[in-house]
Amino acid sequence: MLKVLLGLIFLTPLCFIRSMWWMVQCLLFLLTFVFLFNTTLTSLFSNLSYFMGCDVISFGLILLSFWICVLMIMASESVYRHNSYYGFFLLMVLVLLVLLYCTFGSTNLFMFYLFFESSLIPTLFLILGWGYQPERLQAGVYLLFYTLLASLPLLIGIFYIYSESYSLYFPLLGGGSGPYLLFYLAMIMAFLVKMPMFLVHLWLPKAHVEAPVSGSMILAGVLLKLGGYGLLRVFKVLIISGLAFNFVWIGISLVGGVLVSLICLRQTDLKALIAYSSVAHMGIVLGGLMTLSYWGFCGSFTLMIAHGLCSSGLFCLANICYERLGSRSLFINKGMMNFMPSMALWWFLLSSCNMAAPPSLNLLSEISLLNSLVGWSWVSMIMLAFLSFFSAAYTLYLYSYSQHGKIYSGVYSCSMGFAREYLLLFLHWVPLNLLILKSEPLMLWL
């Protein structure tokens, strides 16, 4: 684990050398493959160093972080082209990657908390430094205060665990005593806000709409997964409390998912629509996790990986249109099939993944989450049916409204994508559809 971390840290000086943009990206690709072949396909911690280790959950999410960060650099070529402080931009991406690597790799609950919180800072800088509108300050404040306010009780909860069991090492955490409501809320609230659960999700669409494409990609791709990962880790301590209180969150996330899907159907901003759709997806993840069943754990882990790739790819597509037309409004971005005919295929492929069409990883994960929720209580079938229907509805709305129809008269030329953009979308879509052929590590890791 440490060798890859040192590799990342030693990449930082390269950011400030002139014209090293693509070099940094290639070296990150190299590190990704070094880590990939350093495989960990057991549910035990392996590759242990003094404070880091890696089991299957960590391995999948670290790999996702690497992949998304490489693609962020590829998608943000306009930062390099317009020379808007691209050295600092690369530095922010690298710092964020190091922090995420440490978050997913740490084997100690307190270290996890430390890196979990500090990953906010580079994200904030990305939004404030390279965002689009002046409201990005307000979005940054939303992001910071929502997540910090909820995560201070988590720190107190961690200290309480330490005072009880004298260890914060993940494999040694026990299944805590009786259902204490306050302790349960303190441990879990930070992750619910980070996921984000319906009712505490308001920071997410705001941050997405104001963030540059790289900020949106890392937010949707990896930072939402921190919540799910944290829950997977702390439920070891909260099993008894979970059996007592989890039904509340399942109810909120299922009803919230349907309501958010309805909100999606009346969005006019491409980015806001994709952002709200990820709130709906993470609602299902949360519901599956809270059932505490094997299907639920495996399905939520798989959907975290799948949604990371799919949502990130959709944000790239929205950004490609934004760079051509200077607007993200669906009223201006219609009839794009006439304007960029070969992009329409990618819109179709990524939209179909978003509504869990085969052979995407989303399908596998949603099937197992449906299993877990219906097995938990068959009443949940009602909301799940609505959720599935509306998720297909808003995805079709996004696709058909943006691709078909009469083209906006202000658009007067035909534009093809760059090879870089097609490669970027290809690298989002291929892992999403090929991972289903090797899904045993995703579904059989416990």
Side-chain angles (χ1 to χ4, degrees), residues 6-62:
L6 286 173
L8 282 174
I9 292 169
F10 287 134
L11 263 182
T12 42
L14 277 184
C15 301
F16 296 108
I17 303 174
R18 275 180 63 87
S19 313
M20 274 290 181
W21 180 269
W22 300 116
M23 184 66 179
V24 171
Q25 193 216 12
C26 293
L27 287 171
L28 271 178
F29 257 129
L30 186 69
L31 271 174
T32 310
F33 285 109
V34 166
F35 183 76
L36 172 62
F37 294 120
N38 202 355
T39 42
T40 311
L41 295 180
T42 62
S43 55
L44 305 169
F45 277 96
S46 59
N47 290 338
L48 282 168
S49 66
Y50 279 115
F51 76 104
M52 297 179 86
C54 184
D55 63 351
V56 173
I57 321 176
S58 314
F59 180 73
L61 287 165
I62 290 174

Side-chain angles (χ1 to χ4, degrees), residues 106-118:
S106 65
T107 50
N108 181 308
L109 197 52
F110 178 69
M111 299 298 277
F112 167 72
Y113 173 82
L114 200 68
F115 292 121
F116 170 77
E117 282 311 311
S118 50

Side-chain angles (χ1 to χ4, degrees), residues 132-146:
Y132 296 127
Q133 282 91 7
E135 286 97 66
R136 58 181 188 252
L137 288 165
Q138 190 191 354
V141 170
Y142 259 54
L143 171 75
L144 212 59
F145 278 88
Y146 258 97

Side-chain angles (χ1 to χ4, degrees), residues 105-332:
S106 65
T107 50
N108 181 308
L109 197 52
F110 178 69
M111 299 298 277
F112 167 72
Y113 173 82
L114 200 68
F115 292 121
F116 170 77
E117 282 311 311
S118 50
S119 64
L120 269 181
I121 298 163
T123 320
L124 187 71
F125 281 146
L126 278 176
I127 293 176
L128 293 184
W130 290 271
Y132 296 127
Q133 282 91 7
E135 286 97 66
R136 58 181 188 252
L137 288 165
Q138 190 191 354
V141 170
Y142 259 54
L143 171 75
L144 212 59
F145 278 88
Y146 258 97
T147 35
L148 280 181
L149 196 69
S151 62
L152 278 172
L154 173 62
L155 186 61
I156 297 162
I158 289 174
F159 287 152
Y160 172 74
I161 292 179
Y162 187 70
S163 71
E164 290 293 304
S165 60
Y166 301 108
S167 169
L168 290 175
Y169 182 54
F170 284 136
L172 295 181
L173 291 178
S177 48
Y180 303 128
L181 180 61
L182 271 176
F183 172 60
Y184 172 75
L185 278 177
M187 290 304 287
I188 213 173
M189 239 8 244
F191 301 128
L192 294 184
V193 170
K194 196 73 169 180
M195 284 233 15
M197 183 183 72
F198 183 68
L199 299 180
V200 284
H201 67 285
L202 285 176
W203 63 271
L204 184 82
K206 201 147 189 63
H208 270 309
V209 170
E210 303 305 326
V213 59
S214 52
S216 285
M217 284 170 71
I218 198 72
L219 259 175
V222 188
L223 294 179
L224 301 190
K225 312 311 175 259
L226 281 168
Y229 174 77
L231 287 175
L232 279 170
R233 289 287 187 225
V234 297
F235 261 126
K236 207 169 167 187
V237 188
L238 299 174
I239 287 212
I240 296 169
S241 315
L243 292 173
F245 308 122
N246 273 358
F247 67 95
V248 181
W249 312 118
I250 297 182
I252 292 177
S253 58
L254 287 178
V255 176
V258 176
L259 292 175
V260 166
S261 302
L262 290 173
I263 294 174
C264 276
L265 281 172
R266 53 182 308 275
Q267 291 300 321
T268 52
D269 183 328
L270 277 174
K271 256 191 166 178
L273 203 162
I274 303 166
Y276 275 110
S277 84
S278 47
V279 178
H281 281 306
M282 294 321 272
I284 310 183
V285 169
L286 187 60
L289 263 174
M290 292 294 180
T291 58
L292 294 181
S293 62
Y294 181 72
W295 274 109
F297 273 25
C298 293
S300 55
F301 172 60
T302 317
L303 189 55
M304 286 196 285
I305 303 278
H307 172 263
L309 289 163
C310 177
S311 197
S312 171
L314 282 169
F315 278 116
C316 289
L317 277 167
N319 183 64
I320 288 169
C321 292
Y322 176 72
E323 283 181 354
R324 305 290 190 282
L325 302 180
S327 165
R328 287 193 312 260
S329 165
L330 268 172
F331 297 118
I332 291 176

